[in-house]
């Protein structure tokens, strides 16, 4: 069982950067300054917009998983007081995958979101990443739409999935 805690700032996220980078692009190389700058800028933007990060550490304190979420806050008199949230990143160390770490991160995140009047949580992934789609399906996420060739002509698009957290 992993220990999961909220990561309050970039300093706390730094040990998780290789996991995040690889989850974003398999060709990510943390030794390349342009790759590191890109990832840190992305994380800084998420923090600026109010993202929350949760990290999972193993028995020796090593980073084994991370998840981030961006809640879309709305005034209480709009949308019945409900919020929505987007999972922006989820990464688990390759050697720790298929051990329940990703599911633990999702459960921790969902518990935190339920306390914030979040109706549903959604995310996007690559439509051809069948293992990832199956993982989210196992955790209660359902496909809701696809946007083709977002990254350019002939390239994959985005598949959107969501999970309703609250009873109406």
């Amino acid at each position: 069982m992993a220990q999961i805690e909220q990561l309050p700032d970039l300093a706390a996220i730094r040990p998780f950067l290789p996991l995040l980078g690889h989850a974003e692009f398999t060709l990510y190389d943390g030794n390349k300054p342009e790759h590191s700058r890109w990832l840190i800028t992305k994380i800084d933007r998420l923090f600026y917009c109010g993202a929350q990060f949760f990290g999972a550490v193993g028995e020796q304190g090593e980073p084994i998983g991370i998840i981030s979420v961006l809640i879309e806050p709305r005034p209480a008199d709009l949308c019945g007081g409900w919020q929505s949230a987007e999972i922006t990143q989820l990464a688990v160390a390759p050697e720790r995958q298929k051990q329940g770490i990703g599911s633990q991160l999702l459960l921790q995140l969902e518990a935190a979101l339920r306390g914030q009047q979040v109706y549903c949580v959604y995310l996007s992934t690559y439509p051809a990443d069948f293992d990832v789609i199956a993982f989210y399906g196992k955790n209660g996420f359902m496909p809701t739409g696809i946007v083709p060739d977002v990254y350019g002509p002939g390239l994959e698009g985005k598949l959107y999935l969501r999970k309703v957290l609250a009873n109406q």
Side-chain angles (χ1 to χ4, degrees):
M1 193 89 157
Q3 179 182 346
I4 300 173
E5 56 188 50
Q6 190 162 358
L7 305 172
D9 53 31
L10 183 59
I13 290 174
R14 280 203 184 276
F16 296 87
L17 288 179
L19 294 178
L20 287 171
H22 188 265
E24 290 286 336
F25 292 100
T26 55
L27 297 176
Y28 173 81
D29 182 350
N31 294 319
K32 292 185 175 180
E34 64 272 19
H35 287 204
S36 293
R37 278 192 305 273
W38 165 80
L39 185 57
I40 289 170
T41 298
K42 182 173 184 155
I43 292 167
D44 279 342
R45 276 189 308 229
L46 288 169
F47 266 127
Y48 179 80
C49 293
Q52 298 173 32
F53 289 78
F54 297 86
V57 294
E59 296 78 21
Q60 277 74 47
E62 72 281 11
I64 59 174
I66 186 167
I67 191 169
S68 62
V69 64
L70 189 56
I71 299 172
E72 184 180 331
R74 298 183 190 102
D77 61 337
L78 298 178
C79 300
W82 291 106
Q83 316 302 320
S84 61
E86 178 184 9
I87 294 174
T88 56
Q89 296 150 324
L90 172 61
V92 175
E95 68 276 6
R96 298 299 295 265
Q97 291 178 0
K98 301 193 185 296
Q99 296 178 17
I101 306 298
S103 295
Q104 279 183 261
L105 284 164
L106 284 171
L107 287 172
Q108 177 85 17
L109 178 70
E110 290 170 17
L113 295 177
R114 281 189 179 95
Q116 298 180 54
Q117 197 68 8
V118 172
Y119 174 73
C120 75
V121 61
Y122 64 95
L123 60 97
S124 66
T125 191
Y126 303 108
D129 200 340
F130 303 118
D131 288 340
V132 169
I133 296 166
F135 163 77
Y136 283 115
K138 178 185 84 159
N139 284 283
F141 286 78
M142 299 296 296
T144 57
I146 191 165
V147 180
D149 58 28
V150 168
Y151 300 103
L155 297 175
E156 296 182 340
K158 287 185 175 186
L159 172 67
Y160 285 87
L161 301 107
R162 82 164 183 155
K163 180 177 183 178
V164 175
L165 300 180
N167 296 330
Q168 294 182 337

